[in-house]
């Protein structure tokens, strides 16, 4: 940095905060480190007693924090995101639509491990709404080696660290199982819950089919919804090891590939996911009916974004897979599923 007269500082970058003190009113930075001095700033600087300033002196091979933040933006920003203007060396990305946030965690961790730079983000594999912050980024020092920022570019390559998958317009069919409901012995309280969650995810619910515990009937109902154009089929109930619970067998018979029957998540251990071609078919255990948050809340946003899930997407859910049933639910702003 170099020392210059305040009157000569227009266009220069401040190397430190400038504090203004008005007794009984304020004591705060009137200009922050990294601020680019403008003509209209000169009277203010003089009024707080600054006749000389320390400003950044450009050096070959070094980048100012705003320029370094721009490098971070380039490696972070995917589609459907808006970047803020650099401010005090920080840039934030916000979502321009509702969708599912995907993060390349290997790249994210590699950049943060380099030191002197910070990427702090929303959790990946969770939904964000239009206007939500996705990530804030900055470098720590006022200036940083250009070579270090070039290394960031090499590590991250052409694909951005953050991607936003917009939710798709999908149609869903529900298959409600259970002889007790089919024969009218009890009221169906499961379907309304599932319908509400599907609609919350932006899906159009085409309807529901009531079935008893006959596996062939359930299999046929699943296939009919797919023929009618359902993008997703959800089966409610009949997922336990009870001999009368035949939904898992029905799903196997109606699909081509079973991804999982069981997941390290509570509530929701008896969840099932399979695919009939590209159509996901889910088997929901009874906990979805009465628990506020379950495995269904973790999987549904990813299905709604068009992701095809694999077995590895479920095996990693154990850490954070226990819902604590808090008195006041703050999901997704909690540890469940993270």
């Amino acid at each position: 940095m170099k020392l210059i007269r305040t009157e000569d500082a227009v266009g220069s970058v401040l190397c430190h905060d400038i504090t203004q003190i008005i007794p009984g009113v304020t004591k705060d930075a009137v200009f922050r480190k990294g601020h680019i001095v403008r003509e209209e700033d000169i009277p203010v600087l003089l009024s707080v007693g600054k006749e000389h300033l320390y400003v950044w002196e450009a050096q070959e091979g070094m980048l100012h924090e705003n320029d370094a933040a721009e490098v971070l933006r380039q490696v972070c920003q995917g589609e459907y995101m808006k970047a803020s203007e650099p401010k005090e060396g920080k840039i934030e990305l916000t979502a321009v639509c509702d969708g599912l946030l995907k993060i390349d965690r290997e790249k994210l961790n590699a950049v943060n491990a380099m030191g002197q730079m910070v990427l702090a983000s929303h959790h990946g594999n969770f939904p964000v709404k239009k206007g939500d912050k996705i990530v804030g980024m900055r470098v720590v020092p006022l200036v940083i080696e250009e070579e270090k920022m070039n290394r960031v570019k090499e590590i991250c390559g052409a694909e951005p660290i953050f991607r936003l998958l917009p939710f798709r317009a999908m149609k869903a069919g529900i298959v409600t199982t259970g002889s007790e409901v089919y024969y009218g012995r009890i009221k169906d309280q499961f379907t309304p819950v599932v319908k509400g969650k599907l609609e919350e995810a932006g899906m159009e619910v085409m309807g529901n089919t009531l079935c008893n515990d006959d596996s062939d009937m359930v299999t046929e109902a699943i296939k009919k919804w797919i023929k009618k154009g359902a993008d997703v089929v959800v089966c409610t109930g009949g997922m336990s090891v009870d001999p009368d619970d035949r939904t898992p067998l029905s799903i196997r018979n109606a699909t081509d590939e079973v991804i999982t029957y069981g997941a390290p998540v509570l509530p929701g251990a008896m969840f099932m996911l399979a695919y009939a071609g590209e159509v996901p078919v889910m088997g929901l255990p009874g906990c979805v009916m009465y628990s506020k948050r379950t495995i269904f809340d973790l999987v549904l946003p990813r299905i709604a974004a068009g992701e095809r899930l694999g077995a590895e997407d479920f095996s990693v859910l154990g850490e954070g897979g226990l819902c604590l049933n808090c008195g006041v639910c703050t999901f997704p702003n909690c540890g469940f599923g993270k």
Side-chain angles (χ1 to χ4, degrees):
M1 58 186 179
K2 62 179 179 180
L3 185 67
I4 64 173
R5 293 173 66 248
T6 297
E7 289 91 338
D8 300 330
V10 175
S12 298
V13 179
L14 293 177
C15 288
H16 56 90
D17 293 350
I18 304 293
T19 301
Q20 182 183 51
I21 302 175
I22 302 176
V25 178
T26 185
K27 180 184 177 181
D28 196 7
V30 65
F31 298 110
R32 296 285 183 185
K33 177 188 75 171
H35 176 74
I36 300 174
V37 179
R38 302 162 299 178
E39 187 71 46
E40 58 267 33
D41 298 335
I42 302 301
V44 180
L45 290 163
L46 293 173
S47 74
V48 296
K50 299 300 179 183
E51 296 187 355
H52 295 84
L53 299 170
Y54 282 111
V55 298
W56 179 53
E57 186 173 20
Q59 294 179 347
E60 187 174 350
M62 302 294 289
L63 290 179
H64 179 260
E65 60 180 354
N66 284 349
D67 297 320
E70 173 60 21
V71 174
L72 294 178
R73 182 204 64 76
Q74 291 170 7
V75 300
C76 286
Q77 187 174 4
E79 283 191 276
Y80 311 108
M81 301 177 194
K82 179 175 66 175
S84 66
E85 291 296 321
K87 184 179 180 182
E88 300 168 9
K90 182 173 74 174
I91 294 176
E92 294 179 334
L93 299 180
T94 56
V96 300
C97 68
D98 295 353
L100 182 80
L101 181 62
K102 301 294 295 182
I103 301 175
D104 188 321
R105 290 189 176 91
E106 185 175 341
K107 291 181 183 179
L108 174 67
N109 293 337
V111 172
N112 280 328
M114 292 181 68
Q116 294 190 303
M117 57 194 74
V118 173
L119 301 178
S121 80
H122 193 287
H123 271 283
N125 286 334
F126 272 79
V128 295
K129 293 186 177 297
K130 180 180 179 180
D132 283 355
K133 290 181 183 178
I134 291 173
V135 58
M137 64 203 76
R138 68 168 303 157
V139 295
V140 176
L142 177 64
V143 295
I144 192 170
E145 297 89 341
E146 186 174 10
E147 184 277 331
K148 196 163 192 176
M149 302 313 298
N150 287 337
R151 178 67 182 139
V152 170
K153 294 179 183 178
E154 292 174 9
I155 289 173
C156 295
E159 293 299 317
I161 296 176
F162 298 90
R163 294 182 297 127
L164 184 58
L165 306 181
F167 290 132
R168 299 183 178 183
M170 303 179 79
K171 296 180 180 180
I174 301 174
V175 178
T176 304
T177 71
S179 295
E180 67 278 21
V181 174
Y182 182 77
Y183 293 112
R185 295 169 188 149
I186 66 170
K187 181 180 179 182
D188 176 18
Q189 300 184 64
F190 208 152
T191 303
V193 173
V194 174
K195 183 174 183 289
K197 288 185 179 289
L198 291 169
E199 290 175 342
E200 186 180 353
M203 297 185 184
E204 175 191 339
V205 178
M206 301 170 71
N208 75 294
T209 304
L210 280 174
C211 295
N212 61 24
D213 291 314
D214 179 80
S215 62
D216 291 336
M217 178 186 286
V218 176
T219 297
E220 188 59 29
I222 294 170
K223 291 181 176 180
K224 281 185 177 179
W225 279 122
I226 295 172
K227 288 178 182 178
K228 289 180 180 179
D231 302 297
V232 179
V233 178
V234 179
C235 301
T236 69
M239 294 300 300
S240 78
V241 294
D242 188 290
D244 287 329
D245 285 351
R246 307 290 181 82
T247 305
L249 174 61
S250 305
I251 293 175
R252 289 181 189 277
N253 291 338
T255 58
D256 310 310
E257 180 185 10
V258 174
I259 302 301
T260 187
Y261 175 31
V265 177
L266 295 171
M270 305 304 286
F271 174 85
M272 187 172 189
L273 174 66
Y275 284 90
E278 297 300 316
V279 178
V281 179
M282 289 178 274
L284 304 185
C287 61
V288 176
M289 176 171 54
Y290 57 81
S291 295
K292 189 169 183 63
R293 297 298 177 184
T294 68
I295 180 73
F296 193 39
D297 298 284
L298 304 181
V299 174
L300 185 57
R302 301 183 68 176
I303 297 294
E307 269 201 290
R308 187 181 180 102
L309 302 183
E312 67 280 359
D313 292 303
F314 292 90
S315 62
V316 299
L317 291 178
E319 182 179 2
L322 177 64
C323 177
L324 300 180
N325 296 310
C326 302
V328 177
C329 180
T330 60
F331 181 85
N333 299 319
C334 68
F336 183 50
K338 302 182 178 71

